[in-house]
Every structure is written in C-alpha cells, then in structure tokens.
Amino acid sequence: MSQNSRNKKFYALNMFDVVDLEKYLAYFSRLPEVAPQYGGRMVAFGRFRDNVAGDLAPRQVLFLVEWDSEEAFNSFRDDPELADLHPLRENGTASYVWQTFDGADMSDPTDVSLDDVLAVLKP
C-alpha cells in the first residue's frame, strides 16, 4: 500500500452560475478566513472555457475545496454560527452543483500508485 492510500482527502466540487455578484462576493470575501477554521482549503478555481465531453450542462465557475475530512466539511456546512454565510452563496448563484469526493493526497503526484488509482475506479 502506498503512503498515498493512508493520506485520504475529502473534496467538495462546486460548479455554478453567478446571478448576483454582490451577494456571491460577500460570501467569497469571508471564505478564505472561515473555511480554514473548519479544515477547508481552496485548491482550485476557474472560469468555464469549453464543454469537451459529457452531458452535464456547463456552469460559469468551478471551485475545488479540500477538506481535512467529511466531518470537517459537514461542520462548515451545518454550523449555526455560519447561518448568515450560506444564504449569500445560495442567493448569489444558480444551477449550483455541490458534490463531494474521496481522494488521495496529490501534494506529490509521483507518489500516486496504480493501487491508488484502482481504489478510486472500483465500486
């Protein structure tokens, strides 16, 4: 078993269209400070470029957030202290896709083994 198999990560993929920039910016301006308090770290973000393949309707924006664990993600999502934060995201976006994934730590991509890949591909 590779070291990577022991360093599981939990990811939240966010894809959405912006419908109220002011509300979404109010949400996002707090995110870099708040998410790390719950074990979250923004890994990537970007703007839609091209629909190369697949049948999911394109969204304007993608964010990928790495969480220490599913519990950390759930604590961010469900904490009543953040009750004023999440509506800013919800009301500032449309066609929101929020999916979670288990994955391997890719800090060192050369450490990913075939066993790591097979673990993701097998049901």
Side-chain angles (χ1 to χ4, degrees):
M1 176 180 344
S2 78
Q3 170 148 354
N4 226 6
S5 297
R6 292 185 296 268
N7 294 324
K8 292 287 185 186
K9 295 291 185 174
F10 187 82
Y11 296 96
L13 173 66
N14 305 261
M15 296 188 306
F16 53 89
D17 296 327
V18 176
V19 293
D20 187 324
L21 184 59
E22 185 176 317
K23 285 181 183 168
Y24 190 77
L25 286 177
Y27 168 76
F28 184 78
S29 67
R30 290 177 54 194
L31 196 59
E33 180 182 329
V34 173
Q37 295 173 10
Y38 293 81
R41 179 179 76 85
M42 288 181 24
V43 175
F45 69 95
R47 180 116 183 127
F48 177 77
R49 183 172 188 167
D50 187 20
N51 191 26
V52 177
D55 54 3
L56 179 66
R59 305 303 197 272
Q60 296 171 340
V61 179
L62 165 143
F63 275 93
L64 181 62
V65 181
E66 178 184 274
W67 296 90
D68 290 341
S69 64
E70 183 177 7
E71 294 76 22
F73 169 76
N74 289 336
S75 69
F76 168 77
R77 188 188 62 195
D78 300 334
D79 190 337
E81 294 287 322
L82 300 178
D84 66 323
L85 179 67
H86 298 300
L88 294 170
R89 179 192 70 246
E90 294 160 4
N91 296 324
T93 63
S95 303
Y96 204 92
V97 174
W98 203 6
Q99 298 176 335
T100 59
F101 297 84
D102 292 317
D105 182 348
M106 294 290 292
S107 336
D108 179 3
T110 63
D111 190 38
V112 176
S113 72
L114 181 57
D115 288 339
D116 296 324
V117 174
L118 288 173
V120 170
L121 297 177
K122 290 182 181 178

